Amino acid sequence: MKLSHKHHYVPEWYQKRFMHEGQKAYFRLDLFPEIIKRPDGKVIRKGEVLTKGPGKFFFEIDLYTTNYFGHENDDIERHLFGKIDTDGAAAIAAMASPDWMRLIHPHILNYFEYLDAQRLRTPKGLQWLIQVTKPKSYNDLLMKMQEVRRMHCTMWAEASMEIVGANTSDTKFIVSDTPVTFYNSVFYPANVKCLFPNDPEIYLKGTRTIFPLDMNHCAILTNVEYARSPGKLKAPKPRTNPRYFDETIINYSDIIREREFNEQQVLSINYILKQRATKYIAAANKDWLYPENHLKKTDWRALDSIFVSNSTKLFGTDRETFIGGKDGKLIATQDEFGRKPKSKKEWLKKEQQAKEMQEHVMRLLAKEKSNNTP
């Protein structure tokens, strides 16, 4: 089989979600184009804006090619990302669908796994991995990428996730070379935590993850305690029980899908995406590449206000998840921060709670049946 060499770190199918129906080419902006000064004094910004199809953008040659004993191998591109992209495309389509609650169940794990892979597979993500893991070779780097590619899934699964729409806005969401974008209002783009290839850590309360699903839908994931009560003093502090690579329970019924963003809010998202991009952004409309031209406020900290949701799904006390078997026996339990019983005594206490809840539900059902009996 012929080896693949053109490796898209932002897949073509994902790019197409940001194009109008029937559109064959869209607009890509180079944030740092080559500057050419002509003898007559005119400055040319070479290739600053190009109009081509998604096959021409967001790729590097042999980005995922390994080489052992002089033999090249593209299994990472063909098999690993082939499956992740196939599963991820279905998951994102389900999440963006009006019928998302019914469709997402078989795809929810693939959704988070795709986000994590997309986060690490970009040139920025790989450079960050080099900085953190200090690989011995490029082969070693690509192996490490596979080892850690689910690292963010636990905290994303425990976060508050809101899907906002741009259906009523003339401006739509754009795509960048860093599709999974971290934003923390207290760390401005010039802050050391934001200098390439760094980002504010996901475990900080105020770090929000922004991931556009398509032109009209954008996912926003926020640590739940910050989603309830944001503030600049809380933003740089660690969330409760932060950790990577841990099992957790996903409750996708808590996903918030209640808001349509207005023009200024969509522009704010696009402005953040542009500020946190490495080199390229793209859009179906050329004007959307320049959100700063139409945005009334570009203060980094003030932008945080667009993410504040008043959804009732955010609030409640002592939120815990219990999973039981057919006989009512407790199988698993955790609180909203992923904390589980640490001792037999705590487990027995949770078993008693589960039993009492089941008995309460059964009494309510019996009462309802009695009331409905002629």
Side-chain angles (χ1 to χ4, degrees), residues 84 109-118 149-150 153:
I84 287 174
L109 293 178
N110 293 332
Y111 175 79
F112 288 114
E113 186 167 331
Y114 177 80
L115 258 67
D116 221 330
Q118 179 61 82
R149 65 183 176 84
R150 297 184 180 94
C153 290

Side-chain angles (χ1 to χ4, degrees), residues 142-196:
L142 295 179
M143 294 305 106
K144 283 179 164 49
M145 176 189 67
Q146 295 178 72
E147 292 172 5
V148 304
R149 65 183 176 84
R150 297 184 180 94
M151 64 180 294
H152 302 95
C153 290
T154 297
M155 285 188 277
W156 276 332
E158 292 171 3
S160 166
M161 181 158 65
E162 180 176 19
I163 309 296
V164 297
N167 294 287
T168 59
S169 170
D170 290 335
T171 300
K172 305 299 182 182
F173 297 118
I174 64 173
V175 61
S176 86
D177 58 10
T178 309
V180 181
T181 298
F182 287 173
Y183 161 81
N184 191 310
S185 64
V186 301
F187 299 113
Y188 286 69
N191 188 282
V192 65
K193 285 187 177 292
C194 295
L195 298 182
F196 180 88

Side-chain angles (χ1 to χ4, degrees), residues 168-295:
T168 59
S169 170
D170 290 335
T171 300
K172 305 299 182 182
F173 297 118
I174 64 173
V175 61
S176 86
D177 58 10
T178 309
V180 181
T181 298
F182 287 173
Y183 161 81
N184 191 310
S185 64
V186 301
F187 299 113
Y188 286 69
N191 188 282
V192 65
K193 285 187 177 292
C194 295
L195 298 182
F196 180 88
N198 298 317
D199 282 298
E201 295 87 350
I202 188 178
Y203 63 77
L204 299 179
K205 285 184 181 179
T207 298
R208 304 182 190 270
T209 302
I210 303 169
F211 178 62
L213 303 177
D214 57 32
M215 289 173 59
N216 284 306
H217 301 90
C218 182
I220 301 164
L221 296 97
T222 306
N223 291 312
V224 66
E225 52 205 317
Y226 193 78
R228 289 175 183 155
S229 180
K232 64 179 182 180
L233 297 180
K234 303 171 186 177
K237 296 180 179 179
R239 58 152 270 184
T240 300
N241 195 31
R243 68 220 188 277
Y244 300 106
F245 303 112
D246 190 19
E247 293 183 355
T248 192
I249 299 171
I250 301 173
N251 184 2
Y252 57 83
S253 64
D254 282 343
I255 294 174
I256 302 168
R257 188 160 173 172
E258 302 167 0
R259 291 198 292 166
E260 285 291 333
F261 269 14
N262 60 36
E263 188 87 5
Q264 285 295 304
Q265 291 171 316
V266 174
L267 287 167
S268 296
I269 292 286
N270 290 347
Y271 178 74
I272 293 171
L273 295 175
K274 184 174 183 178
Q275 288 292 311
R276 301 304 299 134
T278 301
K279 186 172 173 61
Y280 302 115
I281 59 173
N285 185 308
K286 186 178 180 179
D287 194 45
W288 300 348
L289 299 173
Y290 305 96
E292 65 276 7
N293 292 346
H294 308 284
L295 193 57

Side-chain angles (χ1 to χ4, degrees), residues 304-363:
D304 199 59
S305 63
I306 69 167
F307 300 106
V308 177
S309 170
N310 295 317
S311 174
T312 56
K313 290 186 176 183
L314 275 176
F315 303 97
T317 57
D318 299 325
R319 290 166 53 137
E320 294 182 274
T321 302
F322 293 84
I323 298 178
K326 293 181 179 180
D327 58 355
K329 185 177 181 180
L330 184 63
I331 297 175
T333 180
Q334 68 178 47
D335 69 8
E336 61 187 349
F337 302 114
R339 294 176 295 194
K340 305 171 180 68
K342 296 181 179 179
S343 65
K344 184 176 180 180
K345 183 178 179 180
E346 288 184 18
W347 178 260
L348 292 174
K349 184 178 179 180
K350 295 301 178 184
E351 280 188 326
Q352 183 61 32
Q353 274 185 261
K355 181 180 178 181
E356 291 172 358
M357 286 190 292
Q358 184 187 29
E359 290 173 350
H360 177 66
V361 170
M362 296 305 293
R363 285 196 297 269

Side-chain angles (χ1 to χ4, degrees), residues 61-155:
I61 299 299
D62 288 326
L63 185 61
Y64 310 123
T65 298
T66 54
N67 193 311
Y68 292 99
F69 306 107
H71 295 282
E72 293 182 335
N73 186 297
D74 67 347
D75 282 354
I76 293 175
E77 167 70 5
R78 190 182 304 277
H79 298 297
L80 176 66
F81 287 132
K83 184 177 187 327
I84 287 174
D85 284 339
T86 299
D87 295 342
I92 291 171
M95 189 65 79
S97 169
D99 197 20
W100 68 273
M101 180 63 83
R102 183 180 65 84
L103 297 176
I104 197 59
H105 177 74
H107 302 290
I108 192 67
L109 293 178
N110 293 332
Y111 175 79
F112 288 114
E113 186 167 331
Y114 177 80
L115 258 67
D116 221 330
Q118 179 61 82
R119 172 74 184 164
L120 295 174
R121 73 195 288 183
T122 64
K124 179 180 180 179
L126 291 173
Q127 192 62 43
W128 177 81
L129 276 178
I130 291 174
Q131 180 175 282
V132 172
T133 66
K134 296 179 174 52
K136 298 176 182 178
S137 64
Y138 197 72
N139 286 353
D140 189 32
L141 169 65
L142 295 179
M143 294 305 106
K144 283 179 164 49
M145 176 189 67
Q146 295 178 72
E147 292 172 5
V148 304
R149 65 183 176 84
R150 297 184 180 94
M151 64 180 294
H152 302 95
C153 290
T154 297
M155 285 188 277

